[in-house]
Amino acid sequence: MPPPPPPAACSRGRCSALSFAAARDRCFSHRFRRAGLRPLAVPLPGPGPDADPATTVHMWVPAGPPPRNPLLLLHGFGASATWQWAPYLRPLIAAGFDPIVPDLLFFGASCTRLPDRSDAFQASAIKAAMDAIGVPRFGLVGVSYGGFVAYRMAAMFPEAVHRVALVCAGVCLEERDLAEGLFPVAGIGEAAALLVPHRPEEVRRLVRLTFARPPLIMPSCFLWDYIKVMGSDHIQEKAELLYALINGRQLCTLPKLTQPTLIIWGEQDRVFPMELAHRLNGHLEGNSRLVVIKNAGHAVNIEKPKEVCRSIIEFFKEPVAGAANADDKVGTFHL
């Protein structure tokens, strides 16, 4: 999702001469390199034994020796992975984790020629990329749409994913919830228009829905710049991802995860309301715990990165005996 724009107003001409979004993108990439990660493009073969690569997963991986404590971080809709995960790198590395940060398909530099738009296909592609770099087992964190992919990956590959953290991931939603008024949109088409904005006024609506305290000033020149740099690629494909995710979705078909699961939610989330957090916590039947972060909305990973990161570190550093189904770990916690 788009970050808060700078507070100063500016003219369209001055912004076109110097792209703030492009400069910030380069800054985030530099932060990844300084943290000891390097970019890698992983080609994946298409169907058939002799098929050429049909899918490419771009990911940031540790530049040093093979990771000993890999933690796979999956981003949500909006900007590429570097924008969403940059604040988490140094705390996670200092805590002993080896972050691996891919771009999901049709975000950043990841793409595919295959027609499948399901979260299962996303999960399979990321898992294949992890196998290709020699990381067969890992912890997993997913934000929003990345949480849907993380949930699916954990269900499909329980031998690979040992623990899961889901941040504002409304995986328990049903398509009928849209028509029944649970969300600020009434249908899949309106949801796609909200999450894949084309114009500044659409970005403003998205920011106001996702942040508990949205910025007061959002200059159009900055928003046009952001759309051009971060939001102009694969627009149709991203809309198709949302259709595949929501169309016909029913809770009764959602598998239950066997791994200990941490659920993190912004208390004022208006994209995926708190009802979905409690619904997911109940669906996992004592194998999860819910952490609710106050004064935060759907963009809790951006608004409250320290609180979110601290919860992730504490969860993944627990010994096996302290898994989420232990009596003293079950329940809802407010931060």
Side-chain angles (χ1 to χ4, degrees), residues 38-54:
R38 64 182 177 90
L40 179 68
V42 181
L44 303 176
D50 301 318
D52 293 331

Side-chain angles (χ1 to χ4, degrees), residues 267-320:
E267 188 176 44
Q268 300 178 40
D269 192 335
R270 291 197 290 160
V271 176
F272 292 139
M274 278 297 307
E275 178 181 329
L276 292 180
H278 295 295
R279 190 186 293 180
L280 176 57
N281 206 24
H283 180 73
L284 294 177
E285 297 180 334
N287 198 39
S288 63
R289 69 177 179 269
L290 171 61
V291 172
V292 180
I293 297 181
K294 297 180 179 180
N295 300 316
H298 185 69
V300 61
N301 59 309
I302 297 175
E303 288 188 291
K304 300 286 185 176
K306 291 182 180 179
E307 290 89 338
V308 172
C309 194
R310 182 170 63 247
S311 295
I312 290 171
I313 290 171
E314 291 175 354
F315 174 69
F316 282 97
K317 291 194 73 142
E318 288 175 2
V320 174

Side-chain angles (χ1 to χ4, degrees), residues 17-173:
L18 177 63
S19 171
F20 178 84
R24 194 168 190 184
D25 190 48
R26 291 191 297 270
C27 178
F28 285 134
S29 295
H30 181 64
R31 288 175 66 178
F32 269 62
R33 288 187 171 91
R34 289 187 61 187
L37 279 74
R38 64 182 177 90
L40 179 68
V42 181
L44 303 176
D50 301 318
D52 293 331
T55 301
T56 298
V57 175
H58 177 272
M59 56 202 318
W60 289 86
V61 301
R68 292 180 298 177
N69 195 8
L71 189 61
L72 180 62
L73 308 177
L74 302 184
H75 63 85
F77 261 71
S80 61
T82 54
W83 287 55
Q84 300 185 32
W85 289 115
Y88 293 78
L89 295 181
R90 291 199 176 277
L92 290 174
I93 292 169
F97 297 100
D98 298 299
I100 298 174
V101 188
D103 287 321
L104 295 173
L105 298 177
F106 302 117
F107 297 88
S110 295
C111 62
T112 183
R113 292 188 283 106
L114 300 178
D116 196 335
R117 300 291 182 262
S118 67
D119 55 349
F121 181 72
Q122 288 269 18
S124 296
I126 300 300
K127 176 60 168 61
M130 294 293 281
D131 290 340
I133 65 173
V135 181
R137 186 167 168 79
F138 46 89
L140 180 57
V141 184
V143 172
S144 193
Y145 174 71
F148 284 80
V149 178
Y151 193 100
R152 187 64 62 185
M153 184 183 297
M156 293 171 63
F157 307 106
E159 74 289 348
V161 179
H162 62 81
R163 198 170 285 209
V164 191
L166 306 172
V167 183
C168 289
V171 296
C172 279
L173 72 85

Side-chain angles (χ1 to χ4, degrees), residues 5-21 200 204 217-226:
C10 55
S11 69
R12 183 76 179 271
R14 279 190 294 171
C15 281
S16 62
L18 177 63
S19 171
F20 178 84
R204 290 189 186 96
I217 300 175
M218 291 182 270
S220 292
C221 63
F222 175 86
L223 301 181
W224 276 118
D225 177 46
Y226 173 84

